[in-house]
Amino acid sequence: MGVERERARSAEQPVRPLTLAWVSRHLEAGERIVGSEVLHGGITAEMRKLTVGARDGRTRDLVLRTFVDVEDAEDWLDRESVALTLLVGTGVPAPGLIAVDATAAHCEFPSLLMTCLPGRTVLEDEGVERRASLLARHLVAIHAVRPVERVRGYVALTTADTVVVPEGGDAAVWAAAIDVIRGPVPRWEGRFLHRDFQPGNVLFDAPASSPAGVRIAGVVDWAGACWGPADLDVAHCCTNLALLHGPAWGLRFAAAYEEAGGVLAAAASERLYWLVRDGLAASEEVRQFSRPWREAGRTELTTRVVEERLDAYVTILMDTLR
């Protein structure tokens, strides 16, 4: 928690001098930074919205992403810059890359500068059915992207030995779930993955006057973009929806993805493998999941509540697909 507090304090400070000079070199002639706002909700990176003013009085917003003392920051930013470049012209609403300093050759810390997309994250329960359908359709579109050059393959960091069984969790259910990921990896067909596709990384245009008119305005945080099975991306969104809105939403999102034209593993045992793998991965990061949600207004989602939902979700998966 001390590291988190230090990063939070660091993020509240003005843009660092070397980084400010670097950003300024990538602005249009006559432009200058006239405002800076910290964007909350991120886990690993500092995010700031920079307001840039021109001589004629017009302004535009950019986003500065900075990794402070983060291991593998160069790799994350390299992945993101590659992803943002290849998404140009695909129809996927992603930020436009302006500049990247992945090795901190010019900035105090590894940084990336990009355009600012409209919209906002929406995490409340109301309207989740409509938003889940939109999420599914956009994830199908992301998986339809065919990079000219293959991006790097996915990495599954969770192992059977790193899973953290929630307090009060059904030991037998969790033991069986852990045995699932001890087994062989199912055969899969490769797709371009976002790798962290979930409501916190999607910006919605949700007019207050017409809730039914909600649409997705942008998808952000492409630092984990990679090549892998569609099931892995779907499983990650399933886990997030289950923890945000209730355990049943996990399998409901998987169904919505197929209804939108997406293709998942044919066998139930193969689907179970990917869904369980991501659910178990969340067991190691419950605090990281719940903190930004509470900061965004979901104050009822304490660490304990999220643990209970995760336990219920893993149980549903094992009861339904095993």
Side-chain angles (χ1 to χ4, degrees), residues 92-111:
V92 175
L97 176 66
I98 296 176
V100 61
D101 181 16
T103 61
H106 307 284
C107 304
E108 286 85 351
F109 298 99
S111 300

Side-chain angles (χ1 to χ4, degrees), residues 9-285:
R9 285 195 295 268
S10 177
E12 298 294 345
Q13 299 303 312
V15 181
R16 299 173 182 86
L18 292 178
T19 304
L20 183 63
W22 175 76
V23 170
S24 298
R25 290 197 294 272
H26 291 92
L27 302 180
E28 301 293 335
E31 287 186 328
R32 63 186 182 89
I33 298 173
V34 297
S36 173
E37 175 188 347
V38 174
L39 300 176
H40 296 284
I43 295 176
T44 57
E46 293 181 2
M47 302 290 292
R48 286 183 174 85
K49 181 170 71 173
L50 306 178
T51 300
V52 177
R55 289 171 179 166
D56 61 5
R58 290 182 296 177
T59 62
R60 63 184 177 119
D61 292 326
L62 303 177
V63 172
L64 174 66
R65 180 177 175 89
T66 300
F67 285 91
V68 178
D69 297 330
V70 175
E71 188 177 357
D72 300 325
E74 179 179 353
D75 179 65
W76 289 118
L77 290 182
D78 282 343
R79 283 176 183 253
E80 186 155 27
S81 61
V82 168
L84 296 183
T85 300
L86 68 85
L87 287 168
V88 174
T90 63
V92 175
L97 176 66
I98 296 176
V100 61
D101 181 16
T103 61
H106 307 284
C107 304
E108 286 85 351
F109 298 99
S111 300
L112 182 143
L113 185 66
M114 57 191 148
T115 59
C116 182
L117 297 176
R120 62 182 179 87
T121 56
V122 181
L123 303 180
E124 57 259 27
D125 290 334
E126 183 179 0
V128 62
E129 187 165 359
R130 166 66 174 161
R131 296 196 306 276
S133 177
L134 293 174
L135 288 169
R137 295 211 303 264
H138 274 69
L139 190 53
V140 170
I142 290 170
H143 292 165
V145 172
R146 294 292 179 266
V148 176
E149 295 185 12
R150 181 72 57 86
V151 293
R152 280 174 281 189
Y154 82 93
V155 175
L157 300 179
T158 301
T159 70
D161 297 324
T162 58
V163 174
V164 180
V165 178
E167 181 181 350
D170 188 316
V173 170
W174 279 78
I178 291 170
D179 281 343
V180 169
I181 67 169
R182 290 187 195 276
V185 178
R187 295 179 62 182
W188 50 272
E189 183 178 352
R191 291 286 185 269
F192 175 68
L193 307 183
H194 181 282
R195 200 60 178 95
D196 191 15
F197 186 84
Q198 41 92 4
N201 284 331
V202 176
L203 303 176
F204 289 90
D205 180 4
S209 59
S210 177
V214 64
R215 67 180 184 87
I216 290 180
V219 180
V220 299
D221 193 356
W222 293 86
C226 58
W227 190 257
D231 285 80
L232 193 57
D233 251 1
V234 172
H236 189 63
C237 197
C238 287
T239 300
N240 277 265
L241 288 172
L243 301 187
L244 258 176
H245 304 298
W249 275 102
L251 289 178
R252 291 179 70 177
F253 179 74
Y257 177 82
E258 290 187 292
E259 291 169 3
V263 178
L264 295 174
S269 61
E270 295 174 340
R271 297 186 183 201
L272 178 65
Y273 176 90
W274 299 111
L275 289 166
V276 164
R277 173 168 283 286
D278 195 86
L280 298 188
S283 75
E284 304 171 39
E285 302 178 328

